[in-house]
Amino acid sequence: MSAEPIIEVAGLHKWFGMLHVLSDISLEVEAREVICIIGRSGSGKSTLLRCINFLEEPSAGKITVDKLVVAAGGKGREHRRLVHNIRLKTGMVFQEFNLFPHMSVLENVLEGPVTVKRMDRAKAVEIAEMNLERVGLLFKKDEYPNRLSGGQKQRVAIARALAMEPKVMLFDEPTSALDPELIGEVLNVMKKLAEEGTTMLVVTHEMGFAREVADRVVVMAEGEMIEEGRPADVFNSPRDPRTQALIERYRSGGAK
């Protein structure tokens, strides 16, 4: 483990009006670590992920990514600059694929490096093709999204995030919009990334993936972290009754 965590969430709170969605969340993530975040729908999992890269502005606390510290509630140009820089360090993969339908697969992956990072196009093409190869879709580089399956679209979305060369990958339930037979191809890409040493935070309902791939599992309920630990400990010997109920619900097929 590294001396300093690559991600540090400290005293994080998030309110939506009167609704206290995240309550005093603190979490450290080491470089190359894979953390799976599980919990019932509405427990705050996705909001936590979105606060880490400031897609949601935290109400209180601070976020550190790769030594860049951003406090909640900042205003003005300097805060916007910090948020921009923290987003450059965090690749995000959403439930929906959000590909540009009028662009080819390659153009979708090129868009971030060329437009946001102002990268030389030839260099960006090299990086984009390398990452399409990583997700097994280089042969589809000239296709358009409407010619792809859901699993292929999500793999392109992963390649697009990787092309920005982030320090951390954030996955927000990346398989929840997929048909069951397509889930495996996306999870296999994520397993490969984990094996390559990619730092990953994964919000997921896929308990088998969490058990097999995660270094740690974080359990959330009602906006709080109620348990964290090694997958074997969390799944086999949960301390909190809510964790026990969650695992039993998944085992019985009632994932929500």
Side-chain angles (χ1 to χ4, degrees):
M1 295 290 186
S2 59
E4 276 189 74
I6 195 164
I7 296 177
E8 185 174 2
V9 178
L12 177 65
H13 291 262
K14 177 63 181 177
W15 283 270
F16 289 114
M18 297 295 291
L19 190 62
H20 199 181
V21 180
L22 294 175
S23 178
D24 197 23
I25 301 288
S26 293
L27 176 67
E28 293 185 353
V29 183
E30 303 288 347
R32 305 174 67 88
E33 193 173 21
V34 177
I35 293 184
C36 285
I37 305 171
I38 66 173
R40 296 192 69 174
S41 295
S43 60
K45 309 182 301 296
S46 294
T47 303
L48 169 58
L49 225 58
R50 293 170 68 87
C51 282
I52 289 173
N53 70 352
F54 284 79
L55 286 175
E56 296 286 357
E57 181 74 35
S59 303
K62 66 179 182 179
I63 306 290
T64 305
V65 179
D66 192 34
K67 301 180 181 178
L68 179 64
V69 183
V70 187
K75 304 289 183 185
R77 182 179 300 173
E78 176 61 13
H79 182 70
R80 291 194 298 272
R81 184 187 70 81
L82 288 170
V83 167
H84 174 76
N85 288 339
I86 215 167
R87 287 177 180 161
L88 289 177
K89 295 175 181 285
T90 54
M92 185 88 173
V93 178
F94 300 90
Q95 297 178 34
E96 301 295 338
F97 324 118
N98 300 325
L99 300 180
F100 295 111
H102 63 289
M103 293 182 176
S104 70
V105 164
L106 182 63
E107 289 167 340
N108 266 280
V109 180
L110 281 174
E111 181 68 13
V114 171
T115 303
V116 178
K117 295 179 79 172
R118 308 293 185 189
M119 188 180 290
D120 172 75
R121 185 175 175 85
K123 177 66 173 174
V125 167
E126 182 182 326
I127 290 171
E129 291 185 342
M130 177 190 72
N131 284 296
L132 284 170
E133 181 69 38
R134 288 173 80 184
V135 303
L137 285 176
L138 182 57
F139 74 105
K140 292 284 191 182
K141 69 177 184 177
D142 296 321
E143 295 279 11
Y144 284 79
N146 66 354
R147 299 287 301 275
L148 304 179
S149 71
Q152 288 172 335
K153 289 176 184 176
Q154 192 62 293
R155 286 153 62 195
V156 173
I158 292 171
R160 178 179 58 186
L162 290 169
M164 293 295 285
E165 301 179 307
K167 296 289 186 178
V168 177
M169 287 286 286
L170 309 175
F171 292 86
D172 186 9
E173 299 191 25
T175 60
S176 65
L178 299 178
D179 293 332
E181 66 271 16
L182 301 176
I183 289 172
E185 65 184 75
V186 173
L187 293 180
N188 285 337
V189 167
M190 294 169 65
K191 289 176 188 175
K192 180 182 173 187
L193 294 178
E195 290 165 0
E196 292 172 359
T198 307
T199 307
M200 297 162 59
L201 265 72
V202 184
V203 169
T204 186
H205 290 300
E206 298 294 332
M207 296 298 104
F209 176 85
R211 183 188 286 272
E212 179 184 349
V213 179
D215 296 298
R216 275 189 292 152
V217 172
V218 169
V219 186
M220 293 189 64
E222 299 169 341
E224 298 180 344
M225 281 175 51
I226 61 170
E227 192 157 350
E228 68 171 304
R230 296 182 308 161
D233 295 334
V234 171
F235 286 110
N236 298 335
S237 306
R239 298 186 304 273
D240 192 291
R242 291 169 291 180
T243 305
Q244 178 81 48
L246 177 72
I247 292 168
E248 288 175 357
R249 188 176 300 112
Y250 279 114
R251 285 173 178 160
S252 66
K256 298 299 182 186

